[in-house]
Amino acid sequence: NAGVTQTPKFQVLKTGQSMTLQCAQDMNHEYMSWYRQDPGMGLRLIHYSVGAGITDQGEVPNGYNVSRSTTEDFPLRLLSAAPSQTSVYFCASSRGQSSYNEQFFGPGTRLTVL
Amino acid sequence: RKEVEQDPGPFNVPEGATVAFNCTYSNSASQSFFWYRQDCRKEPKLLMSVYSSGNEDGRFTAQLNRASQYISLLIRDSKLSDSATYLCVVPEKTSYDKVIFGPGTSLSVIP
């Protein structure tokens, strides 16, 4: 049981490049979410999903897209990277259809945009 | 008031000390809360849930003060391994299925 896995662990992009951060979970959780964490700020919700085929925006969705074609996978796409997207990105999953239950986090992706 | 606020610290305490953190929230309708622990450069992990009756797990006690809208985390007999950032999590005001993470309180336990 691997829990929540994320790839890559580190990434450096140039402004304007696009990329996809991968997230997968093997706990059969319905709820999955993406957060970004910046110094001095709490984790901020980017997008979330309450089940396969259903996604919704969080607090800071601009510049990011998601899809949820399977229960296990929830990739996050950066459309055109900007320096303001330099951050640590965490994927999380929880049982049920809300984040009120215990959230299990992946190890994070550290992204730098030059 | 922001939806959730925490004293960022850092709290520097000697081993064996008792330390307490508070977290204030603005959503008066909130019923359940969480404390997560985040080690340096690691992912957050659930420490404990907090309901109206509070919660206790070994050296850790969490309490809810609904009248003053804050939750507290008390750590007794601090260990070096308790050094981490403690994140308070509260329900989002406008949603029934999302939570808000506080900015965290940093704790360093010193030998």
Side-chain angles (χ1 to χ4, degrees):
Chain A
N1 193 336
V4 181
T5 57
Q6 289 183 239
T7 56
K9 284 188 167 52
F10 301 93
Q11 184 70 50
V12 178
L13 292 178
K14 294 181 180 178
T15 297
Q17 288 184 314
S18 62
M19 79 160 296
T20 299
L21 308 186
Q22 301 292 343
C23 173
Q25 54 93 7
D26 61 0
M27 297 174 281
N28 202 32
H29 285 166
E30 293 180 72
Y31 192 96
M32 295 187 74
S33 52
W34 276 101
Y35 294 90
R36 59 178 289 174
Q37 186 174 37
D38 301 295
M41 305 185 75
L43 283 86
R44 291 183 293 167
L45 184 64
I46 304 172
H47 285 285
Y48 67 102
S49 168
V50 298
I54 306 169
T55 63
D56 206 346
Q57 296 181 349
E59 179 187 355
V60 288
N62 292 340
Y64 308 95
N65 272 354
V66 292
S67 59
R68 185 94 180 270
S69 56
T70 66
T71 299
E72 294 78 20
D73 300 297
F74 191 43
L76 177 72
R77 281 183 289 279
L78 278 71
L79 308 173
S80 177
S84 61
Q85 293 179 304
T86 293
S87 189
V88 181
Y89 291 85
F90 288 102
C91 177
S93 73
S94 59
R95 60 179 175 80
Q97 293 195 327
S98 85
S99 54
Y100 283 10
N101 298 310
E102 177 180 4
Q103 293 193 72
F104 294 84
F105 286 83
T109 294
R110 283 164 176 77
L111 175 69
T112 300
V113 183
L114 303 175
Chain B
R1 170 190 268 185
K2 291 182 181 177
E3 286 203 63
V4 57
E5 294 185 88
Q6 293 184 255
D7 182 343
F11 285 65
N12 299 314
V13 303
E15 270 187 290
T18 295
V19 62
F21 315 132
N22 283 344
C23 165
T24 58
Y25 62 92
S26 61
N27 183 3
S28 58
S30 298
Q31 301 280 338
S32 57
F33 308 83
F34 305 92
W35 282 104
Y36 279 73
R37 171 199 168 119
Q38 185 173 24
D39 293 324
C40 187
R41 301 183 69 78
K42 297 286 190 180
E43 71 272 22
K45 292 183 180 177
L46 180 68
L47 180 65
M48 56 176 40
S49 307
V50 189
Y51 303 104
S52 58
S53 57
N55 199 356
E56 184 170 333
D57 183 4
R59 298 181 293 107
F60 296 83
T61 300
Q63 291 189 319
L64 167 63
N65 185 315
R66 201 180 293 281
S68 299
Q69 293 183 214
Y70 73 86
I71 59 173
S72 62
L73 178 67
L74 180 77
I75 306 175
R76 291 180 296 276
D77 189 22
S78 299
K79 311 290 185 192
L80 296 176
S81 57
D82 294 334
S83 297
T85 297
Y86 292 84
L87 309 175
C88 169
V89 180
V90 307
E92 191 184 79
K93 230 179 208 178
T94 58
S95 167
Y96 65 92
D97 62 356
K98 294 197 290 291
V99 297
I100 299 284
F101 281 78
T105 296
S106 174
L107 172 66
S108 289
V109 181
I110 304 163

